[in-house]
Amino acid sequence: MDFYESKRNLRFLAVFCMVLVLFFGGFAYLAFTEEEFFMAVFFFLFTLLMIWVARQSVQKVLGHGPYATTTSSHLILYVMPDEKVDIRWEDILDYLFYEIKGNEFLGLKLANEETYTAKMKRLAGLNAKMGYPMFNINFRHITEKKQLLEELDRRNPNVTIQFEEGSI
């Protein structure tokens, strides 16, 4: 069963990032002309980050692939448009719902996290450093939320979904 991200939310994110690119690109130029090189570099680096985020969002909007797929043996996450992570059902120990500034996530606690981090090393490592599960489903962007929860429960009935205090 396939689960898709909301194209409307992704379009909004791409447009918002492009506005930030113009805004902070202008600040970088202004800081450079005023010979504030530290601020120019800071704004330029932030502009590059927003270009990357906008590019990822546009790729997801233009792509026709799912965000998550469930099969009889795996949960497949397409965290980045071109990269997927196949997670075996038996490796999922727990699900954790949590919220960060209005964004809802469904974190996956895995038995053998090291075997899955090779492909998504930077992103998974960043999540771990911040104290979150290495792999997450951005629940806010999923269009079929109820069906996804039912499918996760059906595929892995021995694992319960925990809710962090203050979320959902």
Side-chain angles (χ1 to χ4, degrees), residues 88 91-93 109-117 135:
R88 293 187 319 243
D91 286 343
I92 299 175
L93 300 176
K109 293 185 181 179
L110 304 176
N112 302 318
E113 289 180 336
E114 297 80 28
T115 60
Y116 297 105
T117 58
F135 294 99

Side-chain angles (χ1 to χ4, degrees), residues 52-112:
W52 181 80
V53 171
R55 182 179 168 270
Q56 296 297 320
S57 298
V58 168
Q59 280 183 334
K60 286 183 178 185
V61 167
L62 297 177
H64 301 292
Y67 178 68
T69 300
T70 57
T71 66
S72 59
S73 59
H74 290 86
L75 170 64
I76 304 168
L77 297 179
Y78 297 88
V79 180
M80 303 299 254
D82 300 330
E83 296 180 30
K84 69 178 185 171
V85 179
D86 296 324
I87 301 172
R88 293 187 319 243
W89 290 114
E90 55 268 12
D91 286 343
I92 299 175
L93 300 176
D94 225 346
Y95 301 112
L96 175 66
F97 248 118
Y98 62 96
E99 188 174 325
I100 303 173
K101 296 184 181 185
N103 288 312
E104 301 165 344
F105 295 92
L106 181 61
L108 305 173
K109 293 185 181 179
L110 304 176
N112 302 318

